[in-house]
Amino acid sequence: MQLSPAAAADASAAEQAPGWVIPRVRLGGTISYDTRTDFGEGRKMQQRGLNATLRAATETYIWQPWLAQVGGNVNFSTAHNSNVKNQGDFSSSSNSKNGVITGSAQLRVLPQSRFPFEAHIERTDNRMASDSIPTVGFASQRIGFTQQYLRTDGDAYFGWDHSTQDSDTSGKDRQDNLQLTLSHNMETQRFQFSATRARNEHAMTGESTTQNNLSLQHSYTAIEDVSLETMANVSSSGYHLVQTENDTRLMQVSSMAFWRPEEMPLTLTGGVRMLALAADTGTFTTAGTTVSAAAKLRNANVNVGMSYDFGKFTHLNASANANHIDSNGITAGTANESVGLSYQPQAIRLSSFQYNWSTTATAANQTGGNNTGRQLTLQLSHNLNRSFQLDGGSTITVELSQALSALASSGRQSTTFAPGSAATKQMTHGAAMSWSMSGDAGMAQMRLSASDSRSLDGNQDYFQMINFQASSNLSTSSNTSWNGSLTVQAVRQGSNQPFLVAPIGTQPSGIYQGTTYDGQFKTTSSGALTYQNQRLFGVRRLRFVSDLRLNSEALLPMLGGPTDQEMAAWENRVDYWIGRTMLRVNTLVARTKVPFVKKTTDGVQEIASNTRLNKSIMFSVARGFGDF
């Protein structure tokens, strides 16, 4: 807790006269009034509110600031709100009053020492009265403390926190939290231990939850090239609720080693993890039989990895993983191995163009499980690009790309697709053109891209996308600026061959049903435009912001009709500061879709939507006073 300038001055003056210093109490607050009217399509709603907040705060010390520091604050807030709603022949009104008192206090003993102590208390009390809502009372309290011990070779921390919430409707809730953290540093090692406990209770129903956790971490770095991280964790949780009970216990140990020698471009990693989980959800009765819902899980995993750079352009990586799982006495084991080689040479200059190409080969093997087999993947890609510098400082960049991948596999695979229907060869083409410009006044950029990805065998699926993006940030003067963005996207996907899928209840070797589908382009677009003026009409502290946002399923957001317009909103705001008084006027016009469920002539329910136009205007005035 840092002392305020006033408290620091008091501390300086008390150096010659130690003792209790009578603190200065800072007083202040805010008062505000706001009104809002929403209307559209036969409905109108008016809201008015008067809010006031009074604050008092102080801070001081006992004898000397290095011995003990004390601080506290009290806040009182009150709100009076009224609402009037008219819709057709129906009208309603309501009034509410809300008062909240909050306070907190903090004591810090020896705050600059190696063993600082801190204690705190917070309390909130709320009472609300309304014409239509019964009186509701709510009070909460939080107390706790922390104790630290700071050393150059490690730290210690202990904390306790107790919170209660008391409500006239839901009863009393209680939370207790404990935390202990210890750390110790050695020349090449670091140990860290932590223990936490959290318990929640709901007195009205007798429900409770408890969570305990213990963890120990060890870091070892004997030399700069080698590191070892090990963690052991034990945790338990218990949920005792009205509808169900659950007790879970978890134990796990994991270790990870890393080695990267400086004299060679090699990286080796290895890890091991063991886990044991036991869950008991009690018993339940079904068909006259009592069943125990308990589960046990044990898992062991070992993994190693390696990467090596053959020069600047060739990279080799390999990995292996072995996993064993025991779930309620049913055991299973899997092993995975993979090796990959990639080559990406330096870019080639072709006149004013730049050409890049790369290739990758990956081989993988898996034993155990439903996907036992081997897989070989080959990829080849290349692209050509060129940048043009135009007069005025703008740049145009053109890009063309192509990629081909092939997959060969053998063994048993778990799939619902017919044999031969999955793609093994895929071709992707792409093209893009971008324009950008930047200067002292701002920046602007546009990008148009198109891609076509399709499989050359199997079902011959395809996916096509066209995307256009534009954005701009322009300062027209020292006080005014424009920001805008536009995104247009069209997506199409489908298949040229029968899409063979096994009927429900059959195996992949059974009878298959074939379907084809040729999707149509689906367009979406969105746009935003913002204008800001920090000095409207040349008046200081008079600010204006206008924000237009459009989202549509049409090709352009401004062309979207009422049926496909997802959202259109135009908001304008004027702020004016006169000393510590703030005036604000805000207007909003928005068109949105409101979903609803309707029945067709066949009696089938489907989701439809109506377009709704909403208008609102808001005025608010706020004034701050005192030291806040």
Side-chain angles (χ1 to χ4, degrees):
M1 180 176 67
Q2 297 292 330
L3 293 177
S4 66
D10 293 339
S12 177
E15 290 182 354
Q16 293 80 22
W20 176 273
V21 176
I22 298 177
R24 185 177 72 91
V25 178
R26 293 177 292 142
L27 296 174
T30 58
I31 185 171
S32 64
Y33 172 80
D34 59 83
T35 176
R36 174 172 176 163
T37 303
D38 297 271
F39 52 90
E41 300 182 5
R43 64 185 185 280
K44 181 179 180 181
M45 179 182 292
Q46 291 181 310
Q47 305 175 54
R48 295 184 176 88
L50 178 63
N51 303 275
T53 300
L54 179 64
R55 302 173 181 172
T58 187
E59 51 190 11
T60 184
Y61 59 90
I62 301 175
W63 195 58
Q64 289 289 347
W66 58 264
L67 177 64
Q69 299 175 5
V70 182
N73 65 81
V74 177
N75 304 297
F76 172 73
S77 299
T78 181
H80 297 254
N81 299 291
S82 64
N83 297 274
V84 179
K85 183 178 181 179
N86 296 285
Q87 186 168 359
D89 298 331
F90 175 79
S91 63
S92 63
S93 63
S94 63
N95 297 281
S96 64
K97 298 179 182 179
N98 186 17
V100 182
I101 299 177
T102 63
S104 66
Q106 185 182 47
L107 168 66
R108 300 187 66 186
V109 180
L110 302 174
Q112 306 301 323
S113 69
R114 293 168 52 188
F115 34 87
F117 173 83
E118 178 267 344
H120 55 267
I121 180 171
E122 300 175 6
R123 182 170 178 83
T124 300
D125 197 345
N126 173 56
R127 294 292 184 268
M128 182 177 66
S130 172
D131 293 345
S132 57
I133 303 176
T135 301
V136 176
F138 176 85
S140 65
Q141 181 173 284
R142 173 175 174 259
I143 60 175
F145 69 87
T146 61
Q147 177 67 67
Q148 299 183 68
Y149 179 48
L150 309 177
R151 303 178 300 153
T152 57
D153 55 356
D155 302 328
Y157 172 91
F158 178 72
W160 171 76
D161 204 84
H162 171 76
S163 301
T164 59
Q165 297 85 37
D166 196 354
S167 172
D168 293 340
T169 57
S170 60
K172 188 173 183 178
D173 292 273
R174 171 177 174 172
Q175 298 89 37
D176 292 283
N177 294 275
L178 286 171
Q179 180 180 354
L180 173 65
T181 302
L182 305 172
S183 65
H184 181 68
N185 301 324
M186 302 175 66
E187 185 176 355
T188 59
Q189 302 181 68
R190 174 178 170 81
F191 296 88
Q192 183 169 338
F193 171 80
S194 67
T196 61
R197 176 180 172 84
R199 180 171 176 81
N200 299 334
E201 296 179 356
H202 186 53
M204 181 174 290
T205 61
E207 296 176 307
S208 66
T209 64
T210 305
Q211 292 182 319
N212 302 303
N213 186 75
L214 296 175
S215 66
L216 178 63
Q217 292 178 285
H218 174 241
S219 301
Y220 179 71
T221 53
I223 55 179
E224 295 182 356
D225 301 336
V226 179
S227 64
L228 178 64
E229 298 286 339
T230 304
M231 184 193 73
N233 174 256
V234 178
S235 65
S236 66
S237 62
Y239 294 85
H240 302 278
L241 309 178
V242 174
Q243 300 295 334
T244 184
E245 292 190 1
N246 178 279
D247 291 299
T248 303
R249 297 174 300 280
L250 172 69
M251 294 184 294
Q252 63 176 336
V253 177
S254 63
S255 185
M256 186 71 183
F258 178 87
W259 179 46
R260 182 166 187 176
E262 293 184 358
E263 63 275 7
M264 58 189 307
L266 172 68
T267 300
L268 294 178
T269 61
V272 59
R273 180 173 68 95
M274 291 181 291
L275 176 145
L277 174 68
D280 184 2
T281 57
T283 59
F284 63 93
T285 303
T286 176
T289 304
T290 301
V291 179
S292 176
K296 291 184 178 181
L297 175 70
R298 290 181 174 85
N299 176 250
N301 181 274
V302 178
N303 62 85
V304 293
M306 182 271 290
S307 66
Y308 186 83
D309 294 329
F310 294 94
K312 188 177 180 181
F313 309 117
T314 306
H315 180 75
L316 173 69
N317 62 81
S319 65
N321 180 288
N323 188 73
H324 178 80
I325 186 171
D326 182 342
S327 178
N328 293 328
I330 301 175
T331 61
T334 59
N336 298 273
E337 304 87 26
S338 68
V339 59
L341 183 67
S342 62
Y343 178 71
Q344 182 176 355
Q346 190 172 3
I348 302 173
R349 300 293 302 184
L350 301 176
S351 183
S352 55
F353 290 86
Q354 181 171 284
Y355 177 77
N356 296 274
W357 73 277
S358 64
T359 182
T360 302
T362 304
N365 177 67
Q366 176 174 325
T367 56
N370 295 324
N371 291 319
T372 297
R374 293 162 296 282
Q375 193 175 85
L376 177 63
T377 305
L378 300 176
Q379 293 180 336
L380 177 64
S381 63
H382 61 146
N383 66 80
L384 185 70
N385 64 81
R386 181 181 177 182
S387 297
F388 303 86
Q389 295 291 333
L390 304 181
D391 295 338
S394 61
T395 302
I396 291 180
T397 302
V398 180
E399 304 174 26
L400 297 173
S401 63
Q402 185 183 53
L404 174 65
S405 64
L407 170 67
S409 60
S410 64
R412 184 181 75 252
Q413 297 186 356
S414 175
T415 176
T416 58
F417 298 107
S421 64
T424 60
K425 302 180 184 67
Q426 187 167 342
M427 177 74 76
T428 301
H429 293 87
M433 176 181 290
S434 61
W435 173 85
S436 63
M437 181 184 69
S438 61
D440 297 336
M443 56 79 63
Q445 59 184 11
M446 293 185 294
R447 178 179 173 85
L448 175 64
S449 63
S451 64
D452 180 283
S453 179
R454 59 184 63 236
S455 57
L456 305 180
D457 55 3
N459 291 322
Q460 297 186 10
D461 323 308
Y462 61 85
F463 179 83
Q464 299 169 330
M465 184 176 68
I466 302 174
N467 181 273
F468 174 77
Q469 292 183 338
S471 62
S472 176
N473 182 358
L474 179 63
S475 297
T476 53
S477 70
S478 59
N479 295 312
T480 60
S481 64
W482 291 85
N483 294 275
S485 64
L486 175 65
T487 299
V488 180
Q489 183 169 283
V491 175
R492 176 173 177 256
Q493 60 181 343
S495 63
N496 295 326
Q497 294 294 327
F499 193 73
L500 303 178
V501 180
I504 297 176
T506 68
Q507 298 298 321
S509 59
I511 301 174
Y512 291 84
Q513 298 173 345
T515 60
T516 62
Y517 92 96
D518 186 8
Q520 302 296 320
F521 272 106
K522 295 184 178 180
T523 60
T524 58
S525 58
S526 63
L529 182 64
T530 303
Y531 170 74
Q532 299 186 49
N533 192 325
Q534 302 296 325
R535 187 176 287 193
L536 187 63
F537 307 123
V539 179
R540 292 183 56 194
R541 307 186 74 180
L542 179 62
R543 304 186 179 105
F544 172 71
V545 177
S546 181
D547 187 20
L548 176 65
R549 301 180 301 276
L550 300 171
N551 291 278
S552 175
E553 295 175 358
L555 185 61
L556 290 175
M558 61 285 297
L559 300 180
T563 59
D564 68 353
Q565 191 78 44
E566 291 291 346
M567 189 270 288
W570 185 24
E571 183 178 6
N572 296 275
R573 189 179 76 244
V574 177
D575 296 334
Y576 186 36
W577 285 87
I578 307 174
R580 300 185 65 178
T581 302
M582 190 273 290
L583 304 173
R584 171 173 291 177
V585 178
N586 194 95
T587 63
L588 174 66
V589 180
R591 184 169 64 181
T592 58
K593 275 187 175 182
V594 180
F596 66 93
V597 179
K598 73 172 185 178
K599 286 187 177 181
T600 63
T601 56
D602 300 332
V604 179
Q605 291 185 344
E606 64 179 13
I607 298 178
S609 61
N610 286 331
T611 302
R612 177 177 295 178
L613 184 65
N614 302 303
K615 303 175 184 178
S616 65
I617 181 170
M618 184 185 72
F619 169 77
S620 63
V621 56
R623 166 74 181 183
F625 58 90
D627 297 324
F628 297 96

